[in-house]
């Protein structure tokens, strides 16, 4: 008679074999090959949609970075494809690319896509689509969708040797284990509840180390993840910080980390009634839907030493601009926390004093220079419309338009013939999703996303007003983060902007008045892979000088959120 | 390394336990010793040298005490001086220099020394071994590996309990690891982890928000809230760590003595200190209070006093003379600040008063109202002690206490935060949990025999473990808003 433990072992074996099917029964990767000619770096991704529609919601994809100056053949292998009905290529241009030529597209080594007229192009202008597809990027993100239905079935890869080894070993191991536990129970008369409890507990302890996250960055947290630093570093000897380094590396990368964080956030969010603060970082007024990212630096007043240093630095900037015959405009944008502090339940009674005001007054008094600081105008706008998004700390299009007007009126005093767009030059639309970023795409907002709250439509029910330039064909935006180039054939002057994220949205309105805008985000990733130009500190000005002198702008603008004020101290360090 | 860290729970612990349980008994001590050294070196490897030196000094010190019978007292004193030398240098040197500067208006610059983690605990353990050898309660340990294991055993290395050598020396030689010990050990560990992560850490958020402010800038209610939250924070933090240590000890076959026994249900401060950080108070009792009492009782001063004022009154003086230095040192053990000394003296003084008036004696004839008053007295006395303990300066503690009792002129214009800033829903839930868990309602829940109850307890423990992990993981969630890809 078969023993119970034997049946349990067989069941465990079957379950393990089923769960590990991808190792012994898998599909071979679907290869995507094509020739691609251009200059510069771009990220190319091939996507196969399981369903026969344009939604591309059930996709398998694979992408990598290519430097097309050296490589002209793209080969991408998409894994775990069960069936592919629709195909598309996604291209993210990382350099300033003027045209791309694509030909000889071949899928799964047999399907040739040579009718380029069937390819729908988004984010680029089609120049030629007969023997090859030549496109001219409008946006840095381009999508090429093959509009016809396909039927790609990958080859099967059945590894019977591995299946045999796996089944036998798992059976032997699980039999031994169940046998051991059964014997253990018989011998020691221990309750099964406790045996199961201990077994589950100890197995659970091993799970987080089974699958370490190997990503370079955390998209969700908007930061690079720590890299593994070994105990012995060649040439340096022992790493005495190994323990701390390891802790950082492991706690940011262990398996199920996201699950545990989500559990915490959603538990806290759902249990809270009026107000919730997540991890010292986000505070949410659950009744009104206002979400705040709490950085405390704006509550710290400027010391006399800092004030003098910042003023000196601004003086140096003015002198540099004058020497190069460039008009200089400095703009500080008050942050969401300041404008809407009455919505932040915990700081309601807080007498909020922005240190910027002190700097603005000091610069006016000592240098007779006017910094643009539109706090009064924003407070006025706040009564009629939204200045910032509820779920993102950046400016709405209404505030962006107001900021544009304020900046341009100031510039007009120096350059009277500069064109200032009017509200009638824009199409007005409404959406409940913010559009705060350089990508100019609608999404839930950064604060919402990184708070990790899931699917609370109440927080996303506010309607915002959006401005889209009517003559948008005149404007072309090229480049890749953190350096973009806006050109407008109707403009006259050249503008060089050093900025943080606050100007991303207004820039799509500012670009209607300038012939060219060369913009550099200074808080991108200092010492990281997105750093342009290379510099020691975020707002170190010297590395920007050759770029400014090469571009020869009429106007130099430094625009920043008041939360980044401390960067002014490092301009000329 | 901290017990409540992902690296410890999900890397160090499973690997060490696995190695320990699958290997032969002969390898258990070497594995534990290696794991303990790795555990200690993980955070600050350089300070491992101090701990190793402590081990070597005490090893030879105890051998000397045993060997040189004529000079055993000298050997003891020299070794204790060496032990205390490290402790004073790393923990109190800066404090001493600052006070000397204040007294003599000098300007001696104190070295900014970082205190090695756990030095107060392992130094006291080492001294316990030495004194036990001196008293001939135990034989000196000839195997330095075993002595090392006693001093740096990782479950109690960082935050106690202070295990006395005479309590564990036989377990270091030989101990049994069995299913029951491992099961209870795991459960104690989960309970300790939950106390620390879910309750203590949540209370800490409340406490930090309050104690960072000037006492003039928050209401009386908030002041009381801060004191209560701090009492819960420190109790659940410390007892949670002790639970984890005891649990880990059990997993490795050790049986450590309990360190906390529901102190908030006490009726007097004397009883409270028999239930709070038992290993520390009993250490001071055994190695300081009793010897001082013995020394005083046999001194000429007391015999003269006996003759002058009578035996009863002389014994009160004797008690005072023994309690004062003991409690000043207990206070100082907690940290290098006058607030800790005041905290110790305050406790010592109340215990002295209780002893003199015999409030600390059990009296079954006392009625319910009196017992209730005793509980209220204890809670009030303990809360005041906690405020002194938490305050950064004596002035701050005074102002804070004045605020609590409505004697401070508050600057209401400066009340910045609304009440919801201090207590949200999760905090409220944790306050209720803290209240329930600080009384022995569920004392024996992990020992229940009933099958269904056992099953429910296991499910609850597992949920608590998952929740604790999620709270720890959430602490590592660190989004950076002003950085974009």
């Amino acid at each position: 008679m078969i023993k119970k433990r034997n049946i349990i072992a067989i069941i465990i074996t079957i379950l393990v074999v089923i769960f590990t099917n991808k190792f012994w029964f898998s599909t071979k990767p679907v290869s995507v090959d094509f020739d691609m000619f251009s200059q510069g770096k771009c990220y190319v991704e091939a996507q196969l949609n399981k369903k026969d529609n344009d939604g591309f919601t059930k996709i398998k994809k694979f992408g990598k970075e290519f430097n097309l100056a050296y490589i002209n053949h793209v080969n991408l292998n998409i894994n775990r494809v069960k069936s592919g009905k629709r195909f598309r290529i996604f291209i993210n241009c990382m350099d300033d690319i003027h045209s791309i030529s694509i030909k000889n597209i071949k899928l799964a080594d047999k399907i040739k896509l040579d009718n380029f007229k069937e390819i729908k192009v988004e984010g680029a202008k089609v120049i030629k689509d007969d023997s090859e597809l030549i496109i001219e990027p409008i946006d840095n993100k381009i999508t090429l969708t093959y509009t016809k239905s396909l039927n790609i079935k990958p080859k099967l890869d059945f590894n019977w040797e591995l299946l045999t080894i796996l089944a036998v070993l798992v059976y032997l191991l699980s039999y031994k284990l169940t046998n051991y536990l059964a014997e253990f129970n018989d011998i020691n008369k221990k309750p099964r509840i406790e045996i199961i409890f201990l077994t589950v507990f100890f197995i659970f302890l091993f799970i987080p180390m089974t699958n370490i996250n190997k990503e370079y960055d955390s998209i969700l947290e908007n930061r690079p993840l720590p890299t593994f630093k070994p105990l012995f570093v060649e040439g340096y000897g022992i790493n005495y910080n190994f323990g701390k380094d390891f802790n950082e590396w492991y706690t940011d990368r262990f398996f199920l980390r996201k699950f545990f964080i989500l559990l915490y956030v959603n538990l806290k969010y759902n249990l809270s009634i009026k107000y919730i603060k997540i991890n010292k970082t986000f505070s949410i007024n659950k009744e009104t839907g206002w979400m705040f990212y709490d950085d405390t630096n704006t509550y710290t007043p400027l010391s006399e030493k800092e004030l003098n240093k910042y003023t000196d630095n601004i003086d140096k900037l003015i002198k540099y601009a004058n020497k190069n015959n460039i008009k200089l405009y400095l703009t500080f944008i008050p942050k969401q926390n300041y404008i809407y502090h009455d919505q932040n339940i915990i700081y309601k009674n807080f007498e909020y004093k922005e240190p910027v005001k002190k700097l603005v007054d000091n610069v006016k008094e000592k240098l007779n220079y006017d910094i643009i600081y539109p706090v009064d105008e924003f407070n006025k706008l706040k009564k009629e419309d939204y200045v910032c998004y509820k779920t993102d700390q950046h400016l709405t299009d209404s505030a962006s338009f107001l900021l544009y007007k304020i900046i341009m009126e100031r510039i007009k005093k120096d350059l009277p013939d500069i064109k200032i767009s009017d509200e009638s030059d824009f199409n007005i639309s409404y959406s409940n999703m913010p559009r705060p970023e350089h990508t100019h795409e609608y999404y839930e907002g950064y604060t919402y996303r990184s708070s990790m709250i899931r699917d609370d439509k109440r927080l996303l029910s506010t309607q915002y007003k959006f401005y889209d330039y009517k003559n948008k064909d005149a404007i072309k935006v090229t480049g890749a983060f953190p350096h973009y180039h806006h050109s407008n054939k109707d403009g006259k002057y050249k503008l060089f902007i050093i900025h943080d994220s606050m100007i991303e949205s207004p820039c799509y309105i500012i670009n209607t008045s300038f012939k060219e805008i060369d913009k550099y985000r200074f808080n991108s990733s200092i010492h990281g892979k997105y750093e342009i130009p290379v510099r020691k500190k975020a707002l170190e000005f010297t590395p920007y000088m050759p770029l400014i002198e090469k571009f020869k702008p009429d106007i130099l603008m430094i625009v920043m959120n008041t939360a980044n004020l401390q960067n002014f101290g490092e301009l000329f360090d | 390394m901290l017990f409540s860290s992902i690296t410890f729970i999900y890397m160090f612990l499973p690997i060490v336990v696995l190695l320990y349980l699958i290997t032969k008994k002969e390898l258990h001590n070497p594995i534990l010793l290696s794991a303990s050294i790795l555990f200690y070196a993980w955070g600050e490897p350089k300070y491992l040298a101090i701990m190793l030196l402590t081990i070597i000094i005490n090893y030879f010190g105890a051998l000397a005490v045993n060997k040189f019978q004529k000079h055993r007292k000298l050997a003891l004193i020299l070794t204790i001086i060496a032990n205390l030398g490290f402790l004073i240098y790393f923990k109190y040197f800066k404090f001493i220099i600052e006070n000397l500067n204040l007294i003599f208006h000098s300007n001696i610059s104190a070295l900014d020394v970082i205190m090695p983690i756990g030095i107060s605990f392992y130094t006291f353990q080492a001294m316990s071994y030495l004194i036990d050898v001196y008293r001939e309660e135990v034989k000196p340990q000839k195997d330095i590996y075993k002595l090392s294991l006693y001093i740096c055993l990782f479950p109690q290395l960082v935050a106690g309990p202070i295990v006395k050598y005479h309590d564990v020396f036989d377990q270091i030689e030989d101990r049994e690891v069995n299913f029951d010990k491992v099961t209870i050990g795991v459960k104690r560990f989960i309970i300790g982890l939950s106390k620390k992560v879910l309750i203590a850490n949540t209370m800490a958020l409340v406490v930090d928000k309050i104690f960072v402010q000037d006492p003039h800038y928050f209401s009386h209610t908030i002041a009381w809230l801060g004191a209560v939250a701090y009492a819960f924070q420190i109790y659940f933090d410390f007892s949670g760590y002790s639970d984890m240590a005891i649990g880990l000890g059990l997993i490795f076959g050790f049986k450590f003595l309990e360190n906390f026994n529901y102190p908030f249900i006490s009726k007097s401060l004397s009883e409270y200190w028999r239930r709070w950080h038992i290993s520390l108070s009993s250490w001071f009792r055994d190695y300081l209070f009793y010897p001082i009492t013995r020394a005083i009782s046999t001194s000429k001063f007391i015999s003269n006093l006996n003759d002058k004022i009578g035996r009863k009154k002389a014994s009160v003086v004797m008690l005072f003379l023994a309690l004062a230095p003991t409690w000043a040192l207990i206070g100082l053990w907690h940290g290098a600040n006058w607030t800790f000394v005041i905290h110790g003296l305050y406790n010592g003084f109340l215990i002295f008063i209780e002893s003199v008036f015999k409030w600390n004696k059990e009296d079954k004839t006392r009625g319910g109202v009196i017992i209730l008053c005793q509980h209220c007295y204890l809670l009030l006395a303990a809360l005041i002690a906690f405020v002194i303990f938490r305050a950064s300066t004596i002035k701050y503690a005074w102002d804070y206490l004045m605020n609590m009792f409505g004697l401070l002129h508050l600057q209401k214009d400066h009340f910045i935060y609304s009440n919801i800033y201090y207590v949200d829903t999760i905090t409220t839930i944790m306050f209720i949990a803290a209240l329930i868990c600080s009384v022995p309602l569920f004392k024996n829940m992990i020992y229940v025999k009933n099958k269904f109850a056992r099953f429910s307890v296991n499910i609850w423990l597992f949920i608590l473990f998952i929740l604790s992990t999620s709270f720890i993981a959430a602490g590592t969630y660190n989004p950076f808003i002003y950085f974009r890809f």
Side-chain angles (χ1 to χ4, degrees), chain B residues 24 191 205 421:
Chain B
K24 287 181 178 175
I191 289 171
L205 293 176
Y421 171 66

Side-chain angles (χ1 to χ4, degrees), chain A residues 382-447:
Chain A
K382 182 186 154 185
K383 290 171 189 159
E384 299 154 13
D385 203 342
Y386 291 101
V387 175
C388 300
Y389 298 106
K390 283 182 172 179
T391 54
D392 189 288
Q393 84 279 21
H394 296 100
L395 296 181
T396 58
D397 269 22
S398 301
S400 299
F401 188 75
L402 176 65
L403 179 72
Y404 163 77
K405 284 277 186 191
I406 294 165
I407 293 173
M408 294 312 294
E409 292 299 339
R410 180 71 61 79
I411 295 174
K412 205 169 177 66
K413 287 179 187 168
D414 297 321
L415 304 167
D417 58 338
I418 197 159
K419 179 206 158 197
I420 304 180
S421 300
D422 197 58
E423 195 163 335
S424 59
D425 295 325
F426 294 86
N427 288 321
I428 305 294
S429 60
Y430 292 87
S431 169
N432 55 0
M433 289 282 177
R435 191 175 62 175
E437 274 297 342
H438 57 279
T439 52
H440 219 220
E441 283 169 357
Y442 294 95
Y443 76 114
E444 301 93 328
Y446 181 72
T447 323

